[in-house]
Amino acid sequence: MRLNKLPFHIYKIINEYGLIKPQDSLIVGVSGGPDSVALLKILSAINLRKNLRLRLLVAHFNHQLRGGSSEEDEQFVRNLSKDLSLPFFLKRTDIKKISDQIKNSIEETARRERYEFFDELSQAQHAVSVVVGHNADDNVETLLHRIIRGTGLRGLGGIPIKRPLTENSPVQLIRPLIFTWKWEIISYLEKEQANYRTDVSNYNVQYFRNKIRLELIPFLESQFNPKIKNTLMRLSQIMNFNNEYVSLEAERILTNITLNGTKDFFSINACLLTGQPEIVQQAVIQKILNTMNVPLKKITYEHYTKILGEIMKSGKMRYLRLPGNLYIQGEHGILYFKKEALSKPGLFISDVPVQIPGITPFPPFGEIVSEILDAKEFSLNTYKKTRTKYEEIFDLQSISMPLTVRLKKKGDTISLLGMRGHKKLKDLFIDKKIPIKERYHIPIVTMNGHPIWIIGIGIDNKVKVNPGTEKVVKLTFRKSL
């Protein structure tokens, strides 16, 4: 049996965007409204007609915001699930109470709690995707909402047809109806003689999105452009094409400039980033913030301007605190992102005193282990046979305490063992063919502010072990995994 017009159209969208595969387990969010009811019936029809053997699970979230109407919505979805012989899952939450407690809007609180429910359920049921009923009208409203409140190119892309349910989640959130207009959905339900619930709060213009749908869009259609919704949908699709390219380019750049990258600490070569177009620079910063689970909704254009302007400028060290308890610091051509409070500016890469003897952590790069050994008991021949480039020995009498460890600074020089005269580290790194992205990632042990050990490369002549050495200082650098 063939699919009807709208289900066949949705089936093509599913295939075109690779939204669903045969035998997938899917959580279908169903409120009881026309969009979610149509979504569930369409997915059921596709599953039956195309023999996809999908495992469809109906999820209903009762916000407890509309008294008896909320209970009737719940019962309606329960009955619908039973009619379609599908498993039904329910969660009830007093959204108003939680909203008052956390002092957040009802809309944002409801969205957060609803998606937490979807996340928990998808994990418990081993679902690969959560399917929701956002349509083209929702996309247009979202686009106008973002334009009015302020947005960038990413926001102009509108509601994505597919994205991870949560950051780095293997579960996908998919929206097969995102290119379908509301009138098409209502027409489909009428032909199917399918009932659905109507939420009267959708007509309350006190809610900003309702005001856009009920007042702004009709005004734009009547006074400016009768096809404004189609125009905005095209804008959204065009911006998505642009965003996809910028995102791929930002991913490539980020790979090349990353020195260290985790969810708690990130460092990049800012010198290489500043050579990119500003839109790519911003996209790179967004990817870092995403990796560190910083809420992008709270990051403003002014934040990006400050990061890409003041923080990345050379010269005096600068730092900035962002929402999400993230601290950003720029110093010596490196941009650092750290997810914990700073006790003082410069904590990221200030000179760290080396404990002799002892262990000196130098996060995020590793640690230095130091020992003091008796020269008479120290076998230089054995040491030369077994040493690695991350081990060096020094004459204790030649050392002026304290030693410190830091990263490269402008103007650093060293008289490398076996070399005549001093050489700038910049020139030394060029001679050694060390990639630019690695040069600001090499720890340096210093004495009186001057390098005496470029870890992995060599030591300064003035601290070398000699025939008169009585005590040997052995330093070993252990890299972080």
Side-chain angles (χ1 to χ4, degrees), residues 5 70 94 157 240 330 395 405 416 457:
K5 183 179 179 181
S70 292
D94 189 339
N240 273 325
D395 175 25
V405 59
L416 207 59
I457 296 178

Side-chain angles (χ1 to χ4, degrees), residues 135-148 151 153-159 178-179 181 209 212-213 216-221 224-241 243:
N135 59 46
D137 290 83
D138 294 323
N139 197 24
V140 168
E141 292 164 23
T142 296
L143 206 55
L144 285 171
H145 184 276
R146 290 176 180 175
I147 290 170
I148 293 167
T151 190
L153 294 182
R154 189 170 177 270
L156 290 175
I159 302 174
I178 200 64
F179 302 124
W181 297 105
R209 286 187 66 96
I212 290 174
R213 181 174 65 256
L216 178 58
I217 291 176
F219 176 73
L220 292 173
E221 287 176 326
F224 293 93
N225 181 355
K227 296 184 178 179
I228 187 65
K229 292 198 293 187
N230 296 82
T231 300
L232 289 170
M233 275 296 289
R234 281 198 299 273
L235 172 63
S236 172
Q237 290 174 288
I238 290 169
M239 293 315 305
N240 273 325
F241 293 142
N243 289 338

Side-chain angles (χ1 to χ4, degrees), residues 106-258:
I106 286 178
E107 297 94 325
E108 186 59 34
T109 303
R111 183 187 181 282
R112 190 195 68 186
E113 293 292 323
R114 189 166 60 247
Y115 278 83
E116 280 186 8
F117 168 48
F118 291 155
D119 188 28
E120 292 167 2
L121 185 58
S122 62
Q123 292 184 49
Q125 295 297 321
H126 307 289
V128 297
S129 299
V130 173
V131 196
V132 292
H134 292 119
N135 59 46
D137 290 83
D138 294 323
N139 197 24
V140 168
E141 292 164 23
T142 296
L143 206 55
L144 285 171
H145 184 276
R146 290 176 180 175
I147 290 170
I148 293 167
R149 291 289 178 88
T151 190
L153 294 182
R154 189 170 177 270
L156 290 175
I159 302 174
I161 190 169
K162 177 171 68 172
R163 69 165 175 81
L165 181 61
T166 58
E167 184 62 32
N168 299 320
S169 171
V171 179
Q172 293 291 306
L173 178 69
I174 60 176
R175 302 176 172 100
L177 303 183
I178 200 64
F179 302 124
T180 304
W181 297 105
K182 187 81 167 186
W183 68 265
E184 295 177 285
I185 292 169
I186 298 299
S187 176
Y188 165 77
L189 292 172
E190 288 175 351
K191 289 178 182 177
E192 292 290 309
Q193 297 183 328
N195 294 323
Y196 55 86
R197 298 284 295 169
T198 300
D199 184 351
V200 293
S201 67
N202 287 335
Y203 300 95
N204 184 348
V205 293
Q206 288 183 333
Y207 295 111
F208 192 54
R209 286 187 66 96
N210 290 351
K211 198 174 183 68
I212 290 174
R213 181 174 65 256
L214 300 172
E215 295 182 358
L216 178 58
I217 291 176
F219 176 73
L220 292 173
E221 287 176 326
S222 63
Q223 299 296 319
F224 293 93
N225 181 355
K227 296 184 178 179
I228 187 65
K229 292 198 293 187
N230 296 82
T231 300
L232 289 170
M233 275 296 289
R234 281 198 299 273
L235 172 63
S236 172
Q237 290 174 288
I238 290 169
M239 293 315 305
N240 273 325
F241 293 142
N242 283 271
N243 289 338
E244 184 177 357
Y245 171 77
V246 171
S247 179
L248 290 173
E249 185 67 5
E251 194 69 51
R252 183 183 68 82
I253 298 299
L254 183 58
T255 300
N256 291 334
I257 67 173
T258 296

Side-chain angles (χ1 to χ4, degrees), residues 45-108:
I46 291 172
N47 193 30
L48 178 64
R49 303 288 187 269
K50 298 299 180 180
N51 192 30
L52 297 182
R53 302 183 302 284
L54 301 174
R55 180 169 170 252
L56 302 177
L57 311 170
V58 179
H60 178 74
F61 189 90
N62 187 338
H63 302 84
Q64 298 182 329
L65 288 171
R66 297 184 295 114
S69 294
S70 292
E71 302 307 312
E72 290 170 7
D73 290 347
E74 176 187 315
Q75 189 58 49
F76 174 83
V77 178
R78 188 189 298 274
N79 293 339
L80 177 62
S81 305
K82 186 177 181 180
D83 292 342
L84 294 171
S85 300
L86 298 175
F88 173 76
F89 297 88
L90 169 71
K91 184 172 183 179
R92 296 190 183 99
T93 301
D94 189 339
I95 293 298
K96 178 66 168 59
K97 182 179 179 180
I98 296 176
S99 174
D100 291 340
Q101 287 173 345
I102 65 175
K103 295 180 171 53
N104 203 351
S105 70
I106 286 178
E107 297 94 325
E108 186 59 34

